[in-house]
Amino acid sequence: MAQPAMTIRPTRSSFPLEGTRALELVVTVEVPKPEVLTTRPPVSLAIVLDHSGSMQGTKMAFARAGASAALGQLSDEDRVSLTIFDSQVEVLQDAVAAKQASPLHAKIALIEPRSKTNLHGGWLAGAETLSGQEDASRPRRVVLLTDGLANEGVTDSGSIAAAVAEAARRGIATSAMGIGEDYNEDLLEAISRSGDGSYYYVEEADQLPGLFEAELSGFKAVVGRQVALSILPAPGVELVAILNDFPISNTGTPVLPNLIGGSTQNIG
């Protein structure tokens, strides 16, 4: 496999004559496209659907459509679970082979909005459905369908992101699909970034099949996970800060998002 290429460029061409001589650098990581596009591996997917009161109307219709679209993208070798949450959390289906999950379409159609939003509790229950031995040997991902307006249980975005990051270190990634014009963009972006997953804003229901197709296709394009970036300054040079808000590994080095074939990442 071809190795990623790294380039370093300054954001300006010179230092000031006086004062602190600080120079901002941008590190670009370019990941080559795979020479051969392989079929994706079997995956385990936990669908976590918000049916709190704030999901009334179009939001609820989009969330139901998204859950059904996810089921429609799975192959017989995949595994899937379904968790719903408002102020309460309910696992409608623990992880099973996708070929056994067709009855879930009928259950999804009956889901209606109810009470408050225990987003952390719903996410946690979904993640726990992927912790069994049957799922540990394959890519595992939670997909949240929500407006992100958490107001029950753990609501602090930093605490939620930290829990999601810990699950990612155990091999359970999290992606988030933001639904509704008033969705909590900051929280859902933090969840997907900390969770080693993807983030989407759902504007129209007809986007959903394509979004899930892209989500699942991404498993075959990932060429690097949990990639740490080590920066060793030369003598006399001090590293002041990294502006990107990356998770930090146990050794204190920033951990980059997944390296996807054909993608470019800029680090500043």
Side-chain angles (χ1 to χ4, degrees):
M1 183 187 74
Q3 295 298 310
M6 296 183 63
T7 57
I8 302 174
R9 59 180 175 83
T11 58
R12 57 188 179 187
S13 59
S14 60
F15 289 110
L17 292 175
E18 298 180 356
T20 302
R21 295 189 175 185
L23 184 63
E24 293 181 359
L25 302 173
V26 175
V27 179
T28 299
V29 180
E30 295 181 87
V31 185
K33 291 183 179 180
E35 295 180 2
V36 178
L37 193 60
T38 60
T39 57
R40 72 167 175 83
V43 303
S44 291
L45 190 71
I47 304 168
V48 178
L49 189 153
D50 181 352
H51 73 127
S52 61
S54 64
M55 295 289 288
Q56 290 278 356
T58 302
K59 289 185 187 180
M60 193 72 254
F62 280 14
R64 286 192 294 255
S68 287
L71 291 176
Q73 296 287 344
L74 297 176
S75 68
D76 287 350
E77 292 76 25
D78 296 324
R79 290 174 61 81
V80 64
S81 69
L82 176 63
T83 301
I84 61 175
F85 68 91
D86 57 338
S87 56
Q88 302 297 316
V89 176
E90 183 178 0
V91 178
L92 290 184
Q93 176 61 66
D94 211 337
V96 294
K99 61 185 177 183
Q100 300 174 350
S102 57
L104 285 179
H105 287 287
K107 291 184 179 182
I108 290 167
L110 298 176
I111 298 171
E112 295 291 343
R114 293 197 307 207
S115 186
K116 293 186 177 182
T117 310
N118 186 359
L119 185 151
H120 174 265
W123 166 83
L124 180 61
E128 288 177 346
T129 67
L130 303 182
S131 60
Q133 288 185 334
E134 299 90 346
D135 299 285
S137 62
R138 59 176 67 200
R140 294 172 288 172
R141 182 158 301 188
V142 178
V143 176
L144 270 170
L145 291 152
T146 179
D147 58 12
L149 304 179
N151 56 18
E152 185 92 348
V154 178
T155 60
D156 175 68
S157 59
S159 298
I160 295 173
V164 171
E166 174 57 30
R169 285 191 284 271
R170 293 185 282 108
I172 300 174
T174 300
S175 291
M177 294 192 175
I179 299 175
E181 293 182 357
D182 60 342
Y183 74 104
N184 188 336
E185 181 177 3
D186 291 341
L187 174 58
L188 297 186
E189 283 190 326
I191 286 173
S192 58
R193 183 174 61 246
S194 301
D196 199 22
S198 304
Y199 165 72
Y200 310 91
Y201 168 48
V202 181
E203 295 182 89
E204 301 291 342
D206 59 9
Q207 290 177 271
L208 288 160
L211 293 180
F212 276 103
E213 182 179 6
E215 181 75 359
L216 293 170
S217 295
F219 285 109
K220 64 186 177 186
V222 174
V223 297
R225 291 186 174 91
Q226 297 292 308
V227 178
L229 175 67
S230 296
I231 301 175
L232 302 175
V237 177
E238 179 184 359
L239 175 63
V240 177
I242 297 175
L243 300 182
N244 299 75
D245 188 18
F246 291 131
I248 303 300
S249 71
N250 294 333
T251 60
T253 55
V255 178
L256 304 183
N258 283 345
L259 299 184
I260 308 297
S263 70
T264 299
Q265 294 185 20
N266 289 316
I267 304 142

